Structure formats: structure tokens, C-alpha cells
Amino acid sequence: MNALLVYPILIPFATAIVALFFGKNPRVQRGLHLAGAVALLAAAIRLLVAVGRAGIQATQIGNWPAPFGITLVADLLSAIMVVLAGLMGLAVAVYSLFCIDARREAFGYYPLLQILLMGVCGAFLTGDLFNLYVWFEVLLIASFVLVALGGERPQLEGAIKYVTLNLMSSALFLAAVGILYGVAGTLNLADLARQLSLPDRPGLVPALAMLFLVAFGIKAAVFPLFFWLPASYHTPPLAVSAIFAGLLTKVGVYALIRVFTLLFVQQPGFTHQLILLIAGLTMITGVLGAAAQHEIRRILSFHIISQIGYMIMGLALFTPLALAGTVFYLIHHIIVKTNLFLVAGAVHHLRGSYELKQLGGLYRAAPGLAILFLIPALSLAGVPPLSGFWAKFVLVKAGLQSQEYLIVFTALAVSLLTVFSMMKIWAAAFWQEEEPVQAGQAASTAGDRSYRGLLIPVTALAVLTVMIGLLAEPVFALAERAAGQLLNPAEYIETVLGAD
Amino acid sequence: METVLAVVIGGLYAAGLYLMLRRSLVKLILGLAILGHAANLLVFTVGRLTPGRPPIVLPGALTPDKPFADPLPQALILTAIVIGFGVQAFALVLLKRAYQTVGSDDLDEMKATDT
């Protein structure tokens, strides 16, 4: 058994369990939480290194041979995603120390966050569709509680929509898994890939592809299934919003990538063209929704949607370059999006409001924060030399190579609109001179300790964004290798099932 | 038997979706529960119904006697039922808290966060 694959699941689990024993003692909980996040990141990086060196890693839990037992498998995409999950877990862990109130801590905020990370890592590492369903449920239940924790009215209203739509998608996913089992007689991804590529494959497969597209599409918040996201993501505390924005929808995107590169590749003219259409519409509706909003968190929520469109676009084009672009975009987006939400939290900490109308003059009050906002905001919009530029550049280049000019045009136009709405936040919250008409209680000054604490993860992530932008070459090489593994599933199948 | 179950599953899906389209929060959660059960039954049915033959490997044999019932869909459903119960328990608590906070179980009253 390969323990490297088990650690990213076991570490958050163990942390959560131990932290639950110290429910009355927030200080111990915080320490454990931080230690767990660091350990998870370390384990994730070790896994990535192992996968990078030795190729795809797989292990059979309980030592049952492959199609019968539970398989954990990590190719480069999985490993990258686990590292990102660890990174976001750590960033949000540090951030939470300074902004989560005592009541939420007492009701198990930290263990829940760890369970959420466990679910996310499990979903990335599993090699079996039913297990994917189970991990989805694990992370969903943790996220349900995190959304509702605190019990404020907007939170509960948002939680109802979030819970309903996600349960609905789980029911669809389960139905799809069941039908797939009835059709193919297996749920192991590698085995399925082999079965579905046989010439006499059953006729239900396109219908199944659509079921999976809807089920994962709801989770990934693609057009037209995204309405739960702007209704719920801005309601919980910012640390929670940030990790949701960074990771949860991306689990849906990851599942889409996995399923539509490994299982349903028989009729790309049908499935992938549909995904391309969805990608374009997702970008447009997301960014237009963002342009219509005047509250930082809502603008950012809508931007998650439009960015999902870019990732799906790479998947839809289905060329090596496009998939590399998708992987690069995932790396870039998870970091940047989490960071933007964290900055919004710091803004709220200073001014007690998220409404653009009630903000202003932040550049004078906190120039450091202004710069820290500008870095991820420009990166999101795709300004060189930040990470977003390269991600978009690769995708646009792939689109031009595939001669899908419409989607390229859409992507570029949406980038411009992204700049517009980022500048809207910049102009209203930071640049505009006048002080606000004392809207919220001015929560604190720029000098106090917890504010500086909030800036630690923000700064770290901003530095990371710049680094990815400047060192785009090695990151892109990694993404390209991940894309290569996705497009040639032979190694994946062989690693899981054994060479025969 | 498959035909009967197919009709039942269709009815459950229809009932679940109908309930979810109502404005009442209670009906929404009942709808979710029924939808979950419909999915479970669907998994059960497409796993092929083979009554009366347990999948037991006789001494000396390598595979069970054919035809035998496939145990895997039932294992899957068992897991899904447990997960479904957990989630429904949470949904009920959420319902109660939302009802207490908003003072109504009408979903049209809960659109403050919609955009």
C-alpha cells in the first residue's frame, strides 16, 4: 500500500477528530488546526513530488485487486489539486485565526474545515465513481454546516438554496452512477475507461454523459445551473466564502475534467461541443452578473462563475495545449480567487461594510492593502506578467489553434469586462477620495494586530501569484505534463489495473 | 418486476420534483428525500434483479453459481441511504432554524440573498 496517497485524507480526518475532543478549548483547537493544515500541505507536496518523479501513483485500499476494491490514484492533475487544497487550507486556516468569532469556534468551526479538506482531497484522489459520490457528500455536509454556522438570516436563506441544489445534483449523480454500473458492470474509473472504449459499447453512454454533465455542472456552477452560487457564497464569514470560492466549485470542475477526459471521449463532436457552448455562456453570464453588482462579495461570487467558463473552455477544446491551459487556469484561479475574498474580508475588517457605496479612501488609509488587492485583481483580469495572463494566453492560443474563433472572442471580451468590474471595486473602494458617510462602525484601524494577521495569508498568496506569473515556464511545463496524462489515459489505466 | 419498479421510480421522481417546486420549505425537504429514494431504487433496479439466488461461492468453486444476484448495487444503496439520512437530518435542522429566524416557511420570503 502506498501511504503517500492516504495521508492527504487521513491527516485532516485525524486533526478533526482530535480537535473535536478539545471542543471547549479554542486555543488547543487553533493550534491543532494550524498543525493539521501544515501537515496536509507537506503531505500534498510530497505526493506531487512522487507523482512528478515516478509517474502516476495508485494504491488499493484493503489490497483487493483493482476493479473490485477501493482505489486511490493520483495523476499529476490530482496531485496538483491536492497541493492547492493544502495551500488554500493553510491560507484560510491562518486567516481564520484572526477573524472567526468565539461562538463559531465553539460550534466546531475548525473540525468542520478539516473535514471539508478531507472531502476535497478524497474527491481528488479517488479512482472510483461511487467513492467520488461519497467524498462529495463528505465535503458537502461539512460545507452545509459551514454555510449555516452562525445562524444569521442571510446565511440560512443562502444555505437553503445551497443545500437544495447540491442535494439535487447528488441525487442525479447517484442515479448516473447506478445506471453506469448497470451498463458497464464496474465503477472503477480505469476499468470504466477500458469498457467504454470497446467497440460494442452500450447505447446509453451519451445519455449518461449528459447526466454526469448536469450533476457535475451544478456543482461546478456552469451556465445555466449556477444560481445557487451567488445566492449563498457571500453569506458566511469571509474565511468560509474564500475556501468555498477557491475549492468547492473546482471539485466540480475537476470531476468534469476527469469524466470527460477518461470516460466520455467517444463522441467529442457532441459532448465537447456542448461543453464549449456552455463554457461561452458561463463566461458571459458570470461577468455580466458581476458588472451589475455593487457589493464586493457578490461581484467576486459572480466572477467565480465566469472563470469556471474558462476552465471548461479548455476541457471543451480538448487539445493538449487547451487542457494544459485548463490545468494552469485551475492553479492560477484557486490562488487568486481565494486571495480576493480574503482581501474583501480585510476591507470589511477596516470599514465594516462590503457595499461599494459605503467604502472609499482605502488607498489613503491602507496603501498596502490596496496593492494587495490590485495584484490578484489584475491577475484575475489577465494583465501580464501575473499568473492570469499566462492562463488566458494559453487558452486563447489553444482556441485559435482549434479555429474556434467565437469562443476566443468571447474569452477576450469577458477579460475586458473583468477588468472593468475589478476597476469598479478599485475605484469605489480604494481610489475614490471621500471618506464614507460613517456607514458601518469603523471596525478597527489599520494598525491593530488582528488586521496584520489577516494580511499574512493575503500577502503570501499575492507573492505566489506573482511568482507563478514570473516563473510561468516550469508551472506550464507541469500543466502540460498533466494534460498529457489526461489525454493518454493508458498509463492511468495500466497503473490502476496492472499491466495485462 | 422491472416494469413495476420502473413505474414506481418514475412516480417517485415526479413526486419528488413536484414537491420541490412548491413554495413550502417542508415540502422542499420531503421532495429532496423522495428524490433520493428514487435514485436509490433506480440503482437497485439497473443493477439487475435476480431473485432467490444469493452470491455465495460454494466450497471448491471459484465463482458463485449462475445466475446470482449482484450484491454490489445493494451495498451502494446502503451507503447512499445512510448518507441520505444524515443529509436529511441536517436539512430538517436547517429547516427549523430557518423557520425560527425568518418566521415563515414560505420560500418566497427567503429571497433576500438572491441577486
Side-chain angles (χ1 to χ4, degrees), chain A residues 377-399:
Chain A
L378 291 178
S379 180
L380 190 76
V383 172
L386 296 161
S387 58
F389 168 73
W390 300 108
K392 280 183 181 149
F393 173 75
V394 173
L395 281 175
V396 164
K397 192 174 163 204

Side-chain angles (χ1 to χ4, degrees), chain A residues 103 130 133-134 137 141 144-145 148 150-161 163-164 167-168 171-172 174-183 187 227 230-232 234-235 293 298 302, chain B residues 13 17 20 25 28 32 35-36 39-40 42-43 46-48 70-73 75-77 79-81 83-84 86-88 90-91 94-95 97-99 101-102 107 109-115:
Chain A
R103 225 178 117 243
F130 191 77
Y133 167 77
V134 174
E137 296 296 316
I141 291 190
F144 290 166
V145 185
E152 292 155 20
R153 178 169 174 170
Q155 280 192 300
L156 291 171
E157 290 187 10
I160 285 172
K161 284 141 207 165
V163 169
T164 309
L167 287 186
M168 178 110 187
L172 282 173
L174 181 63
V177 166
I179 298 173
L180 193 57
Y181 180 75
V183 167
L187 287 174
F227 288 98
S232 64
H234 61 88
T235 55
Q293 298 297 323
R298 293 191 185 204
F302 270 103
Chain B
Y13 266 108
L17 284 175
M20 286 180 69
L25 201 50
L28 173 75
L32 274 176
L35 208 66
N40 288 341
L42 179 72
V43 178
V46 291
R48 288 184 189 77
D70 188 349
L72 190 74
L76 300 186
I77 298 166
T79 316
I81 289 174
I83 292 173
V87 173
Q88 280 156 32
F90 173 79
L94 182 67
L95 179 154
R97 282 305 304 268
Y99 178 72
T101 316
V102 182
L107 280 169
E109 307 271 314
M110 304 189 182
K111 52 188 179 188
T113 62
D114 285 359
T115 41

Side-chain angles (χ1 to χ4, degrees), chain A residues 26-40:
Chain A
R27 193 164 287 177
V28 178
Q29 272 200 338
R30 288 179 191 173
L32 276 169
H33 178 58
L34 214 54
V38 172
L40 174 62

Side-chain angles (χ1 to χ4, degrees), chain A residues 205-257:
Chain A
V205 171
L208 277 169
M210 291 303 103
L211 259 179
F212 278 110
L213 182 60
V214 173
F216 294 146
I218 293 177
K219 289 188 198 298
V222 300
F223 178 87
L225 309 164
F226 60 77
F227 288 98
W228 56 271
L229 193 151
S232 64
Y233 265 28
H234 61 88
T235 55
L238 245 292
V240 177
S241 290
I243 197 155
F244 280 21
L247 285 179
L248 288 198
T249 44
K250 263 44 100 198
V251 182
V253 175
Y254 167 83
L256 277 175
I257 295 175

